[in-house]
Amino acid sequence: MEEEYFVGVDASFSRTGVALLKKSDNLSKVAVVVKSVSITAPIYEENKYQLEYTMEGADCLARQIIKQIKSWSKEYNIVMGVIEYPVLATRSGAYLGLIQQAMYMLYPWLNISFFGVPSNAIKSVSKYKSKAELVDWCQRHFQFDCETYRRGRWAINHDESSGIVLAYIGLQIRTGEYKKSKKVFYKIK
């Protein structure tokens, strides 16, 4: 049986964390982080939170995310993706929802099912209270097969750590361990 991989996306205009992981054979670690990257939306001279710039930025960001996942899927058997969805009634939710819409339009290009989980899912799984605690939690719970140190210091940031936890939630959905709120955003027919 071919090994299964899971992708997690913590979408944001400032820095999007995208991670790829697989189940670990190592009993002391729950999963193996295979790849982890940060993707940033284009920077505009004008206020990026004005509708015309936000729509263009969301589309560009979604295409970069999908392109990254598509390139990984050439090498790895990605069976599921998980993305955090925003509370649209919040200040940031209104513009983050545009990223979700742009992603939704591109999911068919990936040919993998995508689930959405609420913004509290990462905290629910990792029990972190600060961004530093989230990074620390990921360091302790996952095995890393990707580069983790650059210039002598830990290089996996909190956005990538969020992507890692979301990919792990995908693994838990697949195994039936994840019992909390989730939505099917795109299902393979």
Side-chain angles (χ1 to χ4, degrees), residues 51-63:
L51 187 59
E52 63 272 22
Y53 300 111
T54 305
M55 288 174 55
E56 185 179 332
D59 182 61
C60 182
L61 184 59
R63 289 181 186 283

Side-chain angles (χ1 to χ4, degrees), residues 121-132:
I122 296 168
K123 195 171 278 193
S124 175
V125 170
S126 65
K127 310 287 190 243
Y128 81 94
K129 290 182 178 65
S130 69
K131 294 174 180 181

Side-chain angles (χ1 to χ4, degrees), residues 157-182:
N157 61 48
H158 73 274
D159 297 296
E160 292 174 57
S161 294
S162 292
I164 291 166
V165 175
L166 290 166
Y168 177 60
I169 290 171
L171 190 154
Q172 289 183 313
I173 291 170
R174 185 77 164 180
T175 61
E177 295 172 61
Y178 188 78
K179 305 291 186 198
K180 300 185 183 205
S181 179
K182 64 184 178 292

Side-chain angles (χ1 to χ4, degrees), residues 11-13 48-63 65 83-88 91-107:
S12 171
F13 284 103
K48 68 180 174 183
Y49 300 116
Q50 294 300 314
L51 187 59
E52 63 272 22
Y53 300 111
T54 305
M55 288 174 55
E56 185 179 332
D59 182 61
C60 182
L61 184 59
R63 289 181 186 283
I65 294 165
I83 189 167
E84 179 184 71
Y85 62 82
V87 178
L88 293 177
R91 184 175 179 266
S92 62
Y95 62 87
L96 291 175
L98 294 172
I99 300 172
Q100 300 291 333
Q101 179 61 34
M103 292 285 292
Y104 182 80
M105 300 303 291
L106 298 175
Y107 286 144

Side-chain angles (χ1 to χ4, degrees), residues 56-154:
E56 185 179 332
D59 182 61
C60 182
L61 184 59
R63 289 181 186 283
Q64 289 180 58
I65 294 165
I66 296 296
K67 183 179 176 183
Q68 180 63 69
I69 297 168
K70 190 75 169 167
S71 75
W72 288 344
S73 69
K74 291 175 183 171
E75 188 176 348
Y76 304 100
N77 178 36
I78 302 173
V79 296
M80 183 186 303
V82 174
I83 189 167
E84 179 184 71
Y85 62 82
V87 178
L88 293 177
T90 62
R91 184 175 179 266
S92 62
Y95 62 87
L96 291 175
L98 294 172
I99 300 172
Q100 300 291 333
Q101 179 61 34
M103 292 285 292
Y104 182 80
M105 300 303 291
L106 298 175
Y107 286 144
W109 292 358
L110 289 177
N111 201 32
I112 63 172
S113 294
F114 246 88
F115 284 80
V117 295
S119 57
N120 63 352
I122 296 168
K123 195 171 278 193
S124 175
V125 170
S126 65
K127 310 287 190 243
Y128 81 94
K129 290 182 178 65
S130 69
K131 294 174 180 181
E133 284 181 18
L134 175 61
V135 172
D136 181 62
W137 186 86
C138 285
Q139 288 173 325
R140 287 183 285 111
H141 283 83
F142 298 102
Q143 177 183 330
F144 289 83
D145 281 357
C146 59
E147 182 182 7
T148 56
Y149 283 89
R150 285 182 220 120
R151 288 177 260 165
R153 55 183 277 214
W154 184 258

